[in-house]
């Protein structure tokens, strides 16, 4: 079946450090890939997405590139801020008329001043 | 943007009791609501899909008699964990699409409920 594997946390970084959260996937079809973010006390929010190979999703300084050859969708940010502290979920969805999103385990990021 | 309000955020209960979790769509109508749960160090797993006015659809391995879902209106879906046991302790979260979107891009999530069964 479809699955998403992402690096375990928590990840603790100093402000302005470079961030990478690894994500790899297995899927039977051609998935769309997502990163969701959950800030403390809030619901998950879509951070960015990519719908086909070599697409780059970006938002709020975060980027992730859909790499079909390595089945990866790593999340990166050049300079993190304290406000980026949250849990980040990698996810995929196979189109086909039924909304089924497969999530990774989530990676908690803590950014310290 | 669209908001899904989920309550309670945290509940502790005794084994054998039932717990109800509510999810409300605050500024849109949700004909469909998805219910997920997450055990420690595991992924968010889809449990069931609730549809307003009809029976919920459960994923394989999820007991429909244990996890009762009611979607009586376009803005409210409830999940009741009946006769809860410690193994039901988990993080439960709902989500709703305001519009049909087969790629899951426009899902709006509640803030989740951490259930602890003693």
């Amino acid at each position: 079946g479809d699955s998403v594997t992402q690096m375990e946390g928590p990840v603790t970084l100093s402000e302005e450090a470079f961030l990478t959260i690894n994500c790899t996937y297995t899927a039977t079809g051609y998935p769309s890939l997502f990163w969701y973010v959950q800030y403390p006390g809030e619901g998950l929010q879509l951070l960015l997405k990519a719908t086909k190979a070599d697409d780059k999703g970006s938002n709020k300084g975060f980027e992730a590139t859909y790499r079909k050859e390595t089945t990866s969708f790593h999340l990166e940010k050049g300079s993190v801020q304290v406000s980026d502290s949250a849990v980040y979920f990698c996810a995929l969805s196979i189109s086909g008329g039924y909304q089924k999103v497969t999530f990774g385990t989530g990676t908690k990021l803590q950014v310290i001043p | 943007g669209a908001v899904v309000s989920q309550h309670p955020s945290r509940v502790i209960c005794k084994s054998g009791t039932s717990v109800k979790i509510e999810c409300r769509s605050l500024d849109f109508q949700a004909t469909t609501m998805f219910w997920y749960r997450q055990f420690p160090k595991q992924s968010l797993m889809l449990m069931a899909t609730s549809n307003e006015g009809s029976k919920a659809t459960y994923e394989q391995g999820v007991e429909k008699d244990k996890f009762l879902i009611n979607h009586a209106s376009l803005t409210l879906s409830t999940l009741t964990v009946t006769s809860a046991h410690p193994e039901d302790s988990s993080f439960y979260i709902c989500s709703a699409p305001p519009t049909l979107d087969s790629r899951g891009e426009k899902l709006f999530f509640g803030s989740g409920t951490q259930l602890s069964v003693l």
Side-chain angles (χ1 to χ4, degrees):
Chain A
D2 302 334
S3 67
V4 176
T5 302
Q6 61 182 105
M7 61 189 289
E8 276 194 43
V11 174
T12 302
L13 295 174
S14 297
E15 206 164 20
E16 299 184 1
F18 185 86
L19 168 71
T20 299
I21 300 178
N22 291 336
C23 171
T24 57
Y25 68 90
T26 58
T28 53
Y30 296 96
S32 294
L33 302 175
F34 309 91
W35 277 99
Y36 281 84
V37 58
Q38 184 176 27
Y39 298 105
E42 300 182 17
L44 276 71
Q45 305 170 28
L46 181 63
L47 178 61
L48 53 83
K49 68 183 184 195
T51 57
K52 61 183 188 294
D54 299 325
D55 270 2
K56 177 186 283 187
S58 61
N59 186 25
K60 299 181 180 180
F62 291 90
E63 292 183 340
T65 301
Y66 190 144
R67 301 286 188 200
K68 188 177 178 182
E69 63 276 12
T70 55
T71 61
S72 65
F73 193 55
H74 304 322
L75 182 68
E76 296 182 335
K77 187 174 184 181
S79 176
V80 293
Q81 305 300 313
V82 173
S83 57
D84 294 326
S85 298
V87 180
Y88 293 82
F89 292 88
C90 187
L92 67 81
S93 175
I94 304 288
S95 64
Y98 177 68
Q99 290 200 56
K100 186 167 183 176
V101 181
T102 300
F103 289 90
T105 53
T107 301
K108 184 175 183 178
L109 169 66
Q110 184 176 10
V111 180
I112 54 178
Chain B
V3 174
V4 175
S5 175
Q6 182 172 348
H7 294 281
S9 59
R10 182 177 294 272
V11 59
I12 300 172
C13 69
K14 292 182 179 179
S15 186
T17 60
S18 294
V19 175
K20 180 184 282 188
I21 302 169
E22 291 189 349
C23 270
R24 294 180 184 275
S25 56
L26 296 187
D27 54 1
F28 66 97
Q29 293 182 335
T31 55
T32 299
M33 193 82 78
F34 300 102
W35 287 94
Y36 294 84
R37 67 180 168 186
Q38 183 181 30
F39 293 109
K41 298 189 182 296
Q42 296 185 28
S43 305
L44 277 166
M45 298 298 295
L46 181 65
M47 297 175 63
T49 303
S50 74
N51 301 291
E52 187 269 334
S54 63
K55 290 184 178 180
T57 303
Y58 291 82
E59 296 298 305
Q60 192 172 10
V62 178
E63 300 174 57
K64 61 180 181 181
D65 294 331
K66 182 168 187 62
F67 298 99
L68 300 180
I69 290 175
N70 185 283
H71 196 150
S73 78
L74 288 171
T75 59
L76 175 64
S77 177
T78 61
L79 168 67
T80 300
V81 183
T82 62
S83 186
H85 290 283
E87 57 265 30
D88 299 322
S89 299
S90 185
F91 181 73
Y92 294 85
I93 193 166
C94 60
S95 73
T99 59
L100 282 177
D101 178 1
S102 63
R103 288 187 174 267
E105 297 177 14
K106 294 192 177 81
L107 289 177
F108 295 100
F109 287 82
S111 54
T113 298
Q114 184 64 53
L115 171 63
S116 298
V117 184
L118 305 177

